[in-house]
Amino acid sequence: MDRGKPGSKMHVLSDANGLPLVVGLSAANVHDSLALRPMVAGHQTRHDPHRGRHFKPQRLHADKAYDVPHLRKWLWGKHIGVRIARKGVESSERLGRRRWVIERTMSWLSGYRRLSPRYERQPSNYLAFLGLAAALCCYKRLVRLTT
């Protein structure tokens, strides 16, 4: 965390295939772990009316920035498995098998000219463009799968 750093950070929650499910925005001088709880809470769970079940995320893969005990406890209470590298214990290389998915998603979103660099002055406008870029990523994936 750098208190004087200007700018903003994109936060993305994606599925196992890299499709963005939830996007968020925070100031660049805010720690990453503060954005995890609103992102997971904002994720819509699917409901199967025939079986009466809710489908929720089963596992969360994240980097060392999210290794905070209260977040682990909160996710455990929501019955979400946690695969977060521990600070000073595990290397980030072991998470590479899963982390490339989110890195690819961030690359897809950064490929849109309006998002990188940030031209919008208002955070709400930038978040709207970020949501539009996420919807376009999902649409492109749907078109590719159906044709």
Side-chain angles (χ1 to χ4, degrees), residues 13-16 21-22 39-46 54-61 74-75 78-82:
L13 186 68
S14 74
D15 67 352
L21 300 174
V22 180
M39 297 287 283
V40 173
H43 180 257
Q44 298 279 331
T45 57
R46 293 183 306 164
H54 287 277
F55 294 98
K56 62 179 182 54
Q58 295 177 349
R59 223 170 288 117
L60 178 79
H61 294 267
W74 182 75
L75 289 168
K78 289 195 153 294
H79 303 289
I80 298 174
V82 178

Side-chain angles (χ1 to χ4, degrees), residues 28-57:
N29 61 352
V30 176
H31 197 268
D32 290 342
S33 64
L34 297 176
L36 182 65
R37 190 177 283 191
M39 297 287 283
V40 173
H43 180 257
Q44 298 279 331
T45 57
R46 293 183 306 164
H47 177 65
D48 186 3
H50 300 293
R51 296 184 186 170
R53 292 180 48 190
H54 287 277
F55 294 98
K56 62 179 182 54

Side-chain angles (χ1 to χ4, degrees), residues 118-126:
R118 180 177 168 174
Y119 294 112
E120 299 302 318
R121 193 152 177 81
Q122 297 293 324
S124 59
N125 294 347
Y126 185 75

